[in-house]
Amino acid sequence: MKFIAITLIVHRPDPVTGVQKSTHERFREVLDNAVLAEELGFDGFGVGERHERPFISSSPTVVLSHVAALTKRIRLFTAVTTLSLLDPVRAYEDYATLDHLSEGRLDLIIGKGNGAAQRELFHVTPEDQWDRNAESYEVFRQIWRQDKVTAQTRFRPPLTDAEVWPRPLQRPIRVWHGSATSKESVDLAARYGDPLFSANVTHPMEPYAELIGHYRERWEHYGHDLADIAIGAGTAGICVARTSQEALATYRPVFEANLAFYKQAGLPVVFEDLEDFVERSSALIGSPQQVIDKVHRYREQFGHTVLHLHADAGGLTGSRHRASLELFQSQVAPVLRREIPDPPFAWGPVLPAPPLTQESARV
């Protein structure tokens, strides 16, 4: 199993202390967390893309380019690239450049995105967002694979023998499809034989398991081998401690502050108390063995081989969050790496085979 740390770069007051960092401090924290993730042995670091409050992750390519300069090994993820809002040509240019600068360490997780404010900002409607997402992905996919592209498009000017530069390093880049509830995203992933990343954050297990089951059905429908499926899944929070009592006591102020925020903002409340949240959500809160058992319980339903954890402290103190991640990497991750297989592809850069020389041909 592989593990990636993800941030959506939420910028609002700390749920427990009420203190809000400056924008500059928040970006600095993201960079520090990326360096820490590599130091602790995570396999990937992801940055979201949102274009509305309370997020400041509107430019993931810029953030990930800085992360690439500060790190050497860890793979870089988008979480997610909102292709329904973007011109696929411009998105390709940014990500192909980032792919070179990171030495081929880039993976994309694409998705429609959500939020009325960002739809309005980009003049995208609920009625056309799925078609935009599919069209943008299909054009993006062509550009990544072909030196010249012709495409009849609805949502941007058509392309005729178009050349887009720079040409990519990875041939092709790996694209995951992020989905919370949408069968449209799942079907698009299955159609092209792409991996799926389930959000698995807001609700209990069942709706996500149902969506992943649909993905498997569509995967077979499109003629792909089930052995080639790769699935990732998110988590709703993390607090690993030596004992369950310590983990609950540490996380309780975070949960109660978030619950009060949801109620004040009029947001739906799915889990009314911490014990229910720990039991029925995907949050990894407990002792190392409890966390191992919970990941296995989800694995039985999802069949996932990649897991994302929160890169941000999210209400824990910085030192407590770091201690939690250190305990996860020292006592949880090694067990899960032994007991759960990796995705059915190499984790490194997807590079083309070197050209055949006369000498190698003779051999």
Side-chain angles (χ1 to χ4, degrees), residues 200-271:
N200 190 39
V201 169
T202 306
H203 301 286
M205 179 191 301
E206 291 75 17
Y208 302 112
E210 181 180 347
L211 204 64
I212 291 171
H214 180 69
Y215 170 62
R216 293 179 181 277
E217 292 172 9
R218 300 307 292 169
W219 183 275
E220 286 192 290
H221 169 80
Y222 287 115
H224 305 302
D225 188 340
L226 281 173
D228 296 330
I229 272 186
I231 296 168
T235 54
I238 181 168
C239 183
V240 189
R242 291 170 298 172
T243 66
S244 60
Q245 293 84 357
E246 181 184 349
L248 287 170
T250 301
Y251 201 81
R252 191 174 299 279
V254 177
F255 176 83
E256 291 178 349
N258 284 329
L259 181 63
F261 173 80
Y262 296 150
K263 289 182 176 180
Q264 183 178 7
L267 299 172
V269 173
V270 179
F271 307 101

Side-chain angles (χ1 to χ4, degrees), residues 297-329:
R297 178 156 58 88
Y298 271 79
R299 157 78 180 168
E300 288 173 2
Q301 297 297 315
F302 293 177
H304 59 302
T305 53
V306 180
L307 184 71
H308 95 50
L309 307 175
H310 289 212
D312 299 316
L316 298 175
T317 64
S319 60
R320 188 64 195 82
H321 181 58
R322 176 171 182 140
S324 176
L325 295 181
E326 288 176 341
L327 196 57
F328 179 90
Q329 285 292 358

Side-chain angles (χ1 to χ4, degrees), residues 323-349:
S324 176
L325 295 181
E326 288 176 341
L327 196 57
F328 179 90
Q329 285 292 358
S330 64
Q331 296 192 27
V332 176
V335 176
L336 295 176
R337 289 186 194 277
R338 287 195 305 269
E339 297 177 349
I340 297 176
D342 285 343
F345 44 70
W347 195 248

Side-chain angles (χ1 to χ4, degrees), residues 67-214:
V67 171
L70 296 174
T71 58
K72 296 183 180 301
R73 172 196 58 80
I74 200 165
R75 287 197 68 77
L76 310 176
F77 284 76
T78 62
V80 300
T81 296
T82 53
L83 277 183
S84 65
L85 309 180
L86 305 177
D87 182 327
V89 175
R90 190 69 186 93
Y92 165 82
E93 291 172 334
D94 284 343
Y95 283 111
T97 301
L98 172 55
D99 193 39
H100 280 280
L101 296 178
S102 67
E103 303 292 343
R105 287 190 280 145
L106 179 63
D107 273 46
L108 291 186
I109 306 176
I110 69 160
K112 169 191 67 67
N114 54 27
Q118 64 180 11
R119 282 201 308 268
E120 292 171 6
L121 187 65
F122 289 89
H123 293 272
V124 173
T125 69
E127 292 74 28
D128 69 19
Q129 59 187 345
W130 296 112
D131 291 338
R132 285 178 179 273
N133 186 62
E135 178 182 289
S136 290
Y137 175 58
E138 287 160 359
V139 172
F140 183 95
R141 194 173 190 275
Q142 278 185 266
I143 297 172
W144 207 281
R145 287 165 170 78
Q146 300 172 18
D147 292 336
K148 292 186 177 182
V149 173
T150 296
Q152 297 302 314
T153 50
R154 289 174 55 200
F155 301 108
R156 60 146 289 125
L159 300 170
T160 303
D161 286 335
E163 297 181 81
V164 189
W165 298 91
R167 299 311 301 147
L169 177 60
Q170 295 190 87
R171 299 277 184 123
I173 193 171
R174 183 177 301 113
V175 176
W176 303 68
H177 295 247
S179 178
T181 58
S182 61
K183 289 187 176 181
E184 290 88 346
S185 292
V186 164
D187 189 83
L188 188 65
R191 187 188 321 164
Y192 286 105
D194 294 331
L196 178 72
F197 219 106
S198 171
N200 190 39
V201 169
T202 306
H203 301 286
M205 179 191 301
E206 291 75 17
Y208 302 112
E210 181 180 347
L211 204 64
I212 291 171
H214 180 69

